[in-house]
Amino acid sequence: RLTDAAVDAATRGARGPALRALFLSALPKLSNACLVEVVAPRCTHVRVLHLARLPRMRTDSVVALLGACHERLEQLSLAYSTRLEDGALDAALACAKLEALDVSGCVALTDAAVGRALRSPTLQALSASSLPKVSARTAAALEQKQRMAALEGASGSAPPPSGSAAAVTAMITENLATVAALSTVRFGASTVRLAEPSAAGSVASLQGSVEAE
């Protein structure tokens, strides 16, 4: 299984302006120390950040990471990183250019925090499913927002409904069409993608897994 040392080695050659997209997914051994001390200083120019299914990742680590890239970050997934609390979502909402956010399966998030996300003036796509603490009222508000976006996009000129898995997937993968596999590291393409070998696959398979969630 991929370790902190592997993440360090893979990202060492891409930092600052050279690193625009970073995918770290399903890495059970990835430590908070690595996220804060190794990854954060190298992702100051990241626009796409995928931190999904990281069971050890804490809220304070996410705050540190987003503090490093908050000026440029546009797309973020924290999906199914189950230790995260409201502070992680609030740090995401503080990113001025954030357009797409996936917090599905972050089971500790409260109704109040998700409500704040719904009121964000910048978010175009919000995925917030499988959240047991979210009230029926907030869930209905999210559904209503999706319906309104669907009506606005009925002409076919607009993107998928805001909040839908398709919209989040499309935005998160928009700049990654040339990446062949999740385990591929491409510094030339300003992209680093790391996942456990069992999760390796094409971009299409990533889209399928996100939409299934």
Side-chain angles (χ1 to χ4, degrees), residues 127-199:
S127 183
S129 61
S130 302
L131 301 178
K133 294 185 178 182
V134 169
S135 67
R137 180 177 179 179
T138 299
L142 177 59
E143 183 178 356
Q144 178 64 21
K145 184 176 181 179
Q146 294 171 357
R147 288 176 179 173
M148 292 178 63
L151 290 174
E152 292 173 357
S155 64
S157 59
S162 175
S164 70
V168 175
T169 299
M171 296 190 75
I172 288 178
T173 60
E174 180 180 1
N175 299 322
L176 302 171
T178 60
V179 181
L182 288 176
S183 57
T184 298
V185 177
R186 291 183 178 235
F187 297 137
S190 302
T191 298
V192 175
R193 297 172 68 100
L194 293 175
E196 289 293 0
S198 60

Side-chain angles (χ1 to χ4, degrees), residues 10-187:
T11 59
R12 191 176 301 145
R15 64 179 71 194
L19 183 58
R20 300 293 181 87
L22 178 61
F23 280 61
L24 300 173
S25 304
L27 302 173
K29 289 190 174 183
L30 185 63
S31 72
N32 287 280
C34 181
L35 288 169
V36 174
E37 298 171 11
V38 175
V39 178
R42 299 174 183 175
C43 69
T44 55
H45 286 66
V46 161
R47 296 180 181 177
V48 180
L49 183 60
H50 194 87
L51 303 169
R53 300 184 185 276
L54 300 180
R56 300 175 67 180
M57 185 169 65
R58 299 191 309 260
T59 295
D60 60 318
S61 299
V62 172
V63 171
L65 275 166
L66 297 185
C69 60
H70 71 280
E71 294 182 356
R72 296 176 175 84
L73 189 65
E74 299 173 0
Q75 304 163 26
L76 172 66
S77 175
L78 302 172
Y80 296 91
S81 294
T82 55
R83 296 186 65 183
L84 299 183
E85 299 175 334
D86 288 358
L89 179 51
D90 289 335
L93 296 177
C95 298
K97 295 183 178 180
L98 191 67
E99 299 176 351
L101 175 64
D102 188 351
V103 292
S104 298
C106 296
V107 294
L109 295 181
T110 66
D111 186 68
V114 176
R116 290 193 291 274
L118 276 172
R119 295 188 295 272
S120 169
T122 61
L123 280 181
Q124 299 176 21
L126 172 64
S127 183
S129 61
S130 302
L131 301 178
K133 294 185 178 182
V134 169
S135 67
R137 180 177 179 179
T138 299
L142 177 59
E143 183 178 356
Q144 178 64 21
K145 184 176 181 179
Q146 294 171 357
R147 288 176 179 173
M148 292 178 63
L151 290 174
E152 292 173 357
S155 64
S157 59
S162 175
S164 70
V168 175
T169 299
M171 296 190 75
I172 288 178
T173 60
E174 180 180 1
N175 299 322
L176 302 171
T178 60
V179 181
L182 288 176
S183 57
T184 298
V185 177
R186 291 183 178 235
F187 297 137

